[in-house]
Amino acid sequence: MIFALIKVRLLETFSFRAEFLLWLVTLSMPLIMLVFWRSVTQEGSFQGYTLEDFNLYYIAVLVTTILTSCNSVWEINENIRLGELSFWLMRPIHPFINYLAITFAELGLSLIVALPILILALTMSLHNQSFSLLQLVLLVLALLGGFLINQTIHLLIGSLTFWIERSLVVHKVYVAASSVLSGYMFPLAFLPEWAGRIANWLPFRFVIALPVEILTGKHTLLVAAQWVALQFMVVALLFAAALFVWRQGVRRYLAFG
């Protein structure tokens, strides 16, 4: 069933090619930040980051952003507000499976763009360090964990539509916080020490910063493995929270429906 849903959603994604191209344009921020930091480091390094470090960092951020992106919150918001959720509640599969299928379908198209960038990032990384098979496995797991965290947060925020008509406002706050606390705009090492300690225990860093840090060799294998294990604990906690909020919301939805 889920593979059929993914196939349908993939065909729908291909049918909206202009929307897909517009989404690609919105991913230009890491490249803009790269131009900025390249100008800063023309005459030397900045807080330990050289010109080459920034090149690798923002290429890694770009590919990580593409591979962990998710748009489920808009689908959930519309389904609940317009009453279309009733259709999915009558289906034999949980609606979360449908939203996951949407994300996987979009990911399939994103891979067309992401794979060449990922190969470039890995090639650049190999020039600076030895990149072992275990490190590659940890990178793949970290990317998967980041993808799942983003998905579960979208499910959680989307579920708030049962109470808040436009939960997209909450999502905008999440995106704004994530751009600063995930490593998207700049390395987390640039944050003040107190802010860095807070960022380390928020889910944002697990979406962008952790895969980027593994790709750029900022952690030993042991430390990287510990962070990935913690990342999947965050996935489990967020999914449990999303499922709880969803169930409470569905009860409210059915009561008024």
Side-chain angles (χ1 to χ4, degrees):
M1 177 66 74
I2 187 172
F3 293 108
L5 283 171
I6 292 174
K7 180 180 179 180
V8 170
R9 294 297 180 176
L10 186 59
L11 291 174
E12 289 179 354
T13 304
F14 272 111
S15 68
F16 292 99
R17 290 182 294 274
E19 182 178 325
F20 177 70
L21 291 175
L22 182 61
W23 168 74
L24 289 179
V25 173
T26 64
L27 294 175
S28 59
M29 181 55 70
L31 300 180
I32 295 173
M33 295 304 297
L34 173 58
V35 172
F36 170 76
W37 287 111
R38 281 177 63 90
S39 65
V40 170
T41 55
Q42 284 296 330
E43 298 180 1
S45 63
F46 179 84
Q47 292 195 15
Y49 278 75
T50 64
L51 182 63
E52 291 74 19
D53 291 333
F54 279 119
N55 287 340
L56 175 57
Y57 182 85
Y58 283 105
I59 292 298
V61 167
L62 179 59
V63 70
T64 301
T65 302
I66 294 174
L67 291 176
T68 60
S69 64
C70 174
N71 297 303
S72 296
V73 67
W74 286 277
E75 187 88 10
I76 300 171
N77 187 277
E78 290 300 300
N79 285 171
I80 296 174
R81 287 196 315 109
L82 301 179
E84 297 172 354
L85 180 63
S86 301
F87 170 77
W88 290 108
L89 292 176
M90 292 187 294
R91 305 291 290 181
I93 61 172
H94 196 283
F96 277 12
I97 302 298
N98 172 57
Y99 300 127
L100 186 61
I102 295 172
T103 306
F104 272 121
E106 293 172 344
L107 179 62
L109 196 56
S110 301
L111 283 172
I112 299 174
V113 179
L115 284 178
I117 303 174
L118 179 59
I119 292 172
L120 173 62
L122 288 171
T123 303
M124 293 171 65
S125 183
L126 284 170
H127 283 295
N128 300 329
Q129 60 173 321
S130 58
F131 204 88
S132 66
L133 179 60
L134 184 55
Q135 190 174 352
L136 181 60
V137 171
L138 289 172
L139 172 62
V140 172
L141 288 174
L143 287 170
L144 175 61
F147 168 82
L148 292 175
I149 287 176
N150 223 0
Q151 175 71 30
T152 52
I153 289 177
H154 273 241
L155 293 174
L156 179 57
I157 295 176
S159 298
L160 295 178
T161 310
F162 289 115
W163 294 273
I164 307 173
E165 184 177 355
R166 299 297 292 183
S167 64
L168 293 179
V169 175
V170 179
H171 178 258
K172 289 180 180 179
V173 175
Y174 164 70
V175 171
S178 179
S179 64
V180 176
L181 299 173
S182 69
Y184 179 73
M185 298 288 288
F186 49 79
L188 293 183
F190 292 178
L191 289 172
E193 186 177 349
W194 62 269
R197 286 198 298 268
I198 294 174
N200 279 338
W201 297 103
L202 293 176
F204 309 113
R205 80 167 324 279
F206 294 103
V207 178
I208 301 293
L210 180 57
V212 170
E213 289 165 358
I214 293 175
L215 179 56
T216 56
K218 296 299 182 182
H219 297 306
T220 64
L221 290 178
L222 178 59
V223 172
Q226 292 172 340
W227 275 114
V228 170
L230 182 58
Q231 181 188 41
F232 277 88
M233 290 176 61
V234 173
V235 171
L237 290 172
L238 286 173
F239 180 77
L243 193 59
F244 174 78
V245 174
W246 175 268
R247 287 174 175 172
Q248 298 303 311
V250 167
R251 291 175 184 172
R252 186 174 187 275
Y253 180 83
L254 294 177
F256 286 96

